[in-house]
Amino acid sequence: MRVSVVDAGSNTVRLVVADAEGGVPLPVHTVKWRLRLSERVEPDGTIGEEAVAQLVKAVAAAGGAAEQWRAPGPLAFATTVVRNAPNRQEVLDRVGSETGIRMCTLPGETEARLTFLAARRWMGWQAGPLALLDIGGGSLEVAFGRGRLPDFAASLPLGADRLTREFLAAQDPPAQAELKALRRRVRHELRDVAARVRWEGPRTAAVTSRTFQQLARLCGTAPGRHGPFIQRDMLRSDLRQAIGALAALSAAERAQLPGISAPRAAQSLAGALVGHTAMKLMGLHRVAVCPWAIREGVLLRYIEDGADWWADATSEIGTDAGCST
């Protein structure tokens, strides 16, 4: 069985085409389109006409690529930047009408649960009670569980791009007062969730997302060219040192550091502050960097639970979720 998934995030639209051999999604083709949607929204979060047109174009291209690779119409979803947009439904409807692909947004907690499933499958049962952290552009997903799916999941407004625009846009590099204000915000938002994770006492903690992968590379883990099966662990002490290095540099200078890409250089400092604060409040000294995240979680649920699962997951249109009609 061949399956495909498309997700529209704050920075990119990504397509993964995979073969489901033995219940494992084995990628056969991946491609991305860099749209930087989070930088092209109105002050109230509305996604403008030009950005919508670019999103439609990228989703259409993803659908065409999936067809070329003999995959059914992709499972398509958008994350925080679209989910929180006041014109979300108009955006989703336009994607559907112009591409023929039904795109949905999922509640933040559902994203956390799917990402946890991906981390659990990658880390295995030997990981024991597992905590999961995933920093996106608009939100931070946190989950904890002892089984296949988490016992607890939460989505917090602590995305690296969101916090950069809210707290670190005035100066480059930012002033200490801006960093202190950002830390206070992160501690406040994380307080209750971190207390729950700390109380649960995870045996293993895993982190996912490009933000964490780049920060881990900055902290000394093996580069991506060594493949996904290399063990990559990031220490809280190393991340604390990385914050000092990032805070002293402009965004352009950060892009010269190991692992930090130019498109994510500006938000790398906010991502590091969120990651370090979360680890500290949760009592985590070490985290494992997991290459699987929400896309693999969607594919795994589809493979394991069938097409009816996706239909059920995307059938309700409420405050936090919606689909093109």
Side-chain angles (χ1 to χ4, degrees):
M1 178 175 67
R2 182 160 287 186
V3 291
S4 63
V5 62
V6 172
D7 79 286
S10 298
N11 297 303
T12 58
V13 172
R14 294 176 182 267
L15 166 72
V16 174
V17 179
D19 284 335
E21 300 294 339
V24 179
L26 302 174
V28 296
H29 181 65
T30 63
V31 64
K32 66 180 179 181
W33 295 263
R34 194 176 303 281
L35 302 188
R36 306 291 294 180
L37 285 179
S38 61
E39 296 181 359
R40 305 168 70 181
V41 299
E42 304 297 332
D44 67 347
T46 298
I47 301 176
E49 169 62 28
E50 182 181 354
V52 174
Q54 290 299 312
L55 175 60
V56 168
K57 182 178 179 180
V59 173
E67 184 177 358
Q68 289 177 359
W69 285 85
R70 302 183 305 281
L75 311 174
F77 66 95
T79 54
T80 308
V81 66
V82 176
R83 184 174 68 232
N84 291 344
N87 62 332
R88 174 190 64 197
Q89 199 56 54
E90 291 85 349
V91 173
L92 296 175
D93 287 345
R94 182 166 168 189
V95 169
S97 65
E98 296 191 22
T99 70
I101 295 173
R102 185 170 182 259
M103 174 166 275
C104 300
T105 59
L106 303 172
E109 288 188 9
T110 299
E111 291 186 12
R113 296 177 69 83
L114 290 167
T115 306
F116 179 92
L117 171 62
R120 169 61 78 190
R121 285 288 184 261
W122 183 269
M123 303 293 292
W125 294 111
Q126 67 177 352
L130 176 66
L132 180 281
L133 300 173
D134 179 18
I135 299 178
S139 61
L140 167 71
E141 274 64 61
V142 181
F144 170 85
R146 296 172 174 81
R148 169 178 174 255
L149 296 174
D151 306 317
F152 164 77
S155 180
L156 304 172
L158 296 176
D161 184 74
R162 176 198 294 241
L163 294 178
T164 298
R165 288 184 283 111
E166 290 183 8
F167 289 91
L168 306 181
Q171 294 181 225
D172 186 22
Q176 285 300 312
E178 294 172 322
L179 296 177
K180 290 179 65 175
L182 175 53
R183 286 193 184 97
R184 284 195 299 268
R185 165 73 174 278
V186 175
R187 285 195 298 266
H188 174 74
E189 293 283 354
L190 270 170
R191 180 182 56 197
D192 294 339
V193 170
R196 170 67 184 270
V197 172
R198 190 167 192 144
W199 182 83
E200 294 282 6
R203 177 181 177 182
T204 305
V207 297
T208 69
S209 78
R210 290 295 295 164
T211 294
F212 268 128
Q213 289 172 3
Q214 293 194 6
L215 291 172
R217 178 71 187 98
L218 179 61
C219 290
T221 63
R225 66 177 180 273
H226 289 183
F229 301 111
I230 297 293
Q231 180 69 30
R232 293 177 171 90
D233 291 337
M234 181 170 61
L235 300 180
R236 190 174 84 199
S237 57
D238 290 340
L239 187 54
R240 181 67 186 90
Q241 292 183 6
I243 291 173
L246 293 168
L249 301 175
S250 67
E253 292 169 330
R254 290 176 206 152
Q256 306 305 312
L257 296 174
I260 304 299
S261 66
R264 294 180 183 270
Q267 67 185 53
S268 59
L269 176 56
L273 282 166
V274 172
H276 180 267
T277 303
M279 290 177 68
K280 185 174 182 179
L281 293 179
M282 295 175 186
L284 306 174
H285 295 280
R286 178 190 300 266
V287 293
V289 183
C290 175
W292 278 7
I294 186 170
R295 287 180 295 278
E296 289 76 16
V298 169
L299 291 172
L300 284 164
R301 282 299 301 267
Y302 188 85
I303 292 167
E304 295 173 2
D305 298 332
D308 288 344
W309 164 77
W310 181 251
D312 292 341
T314 59
S315 63
E316 295 184 3
I317 299 178
T319 303
D320 295 322
C323 290
S324 54
T325 56

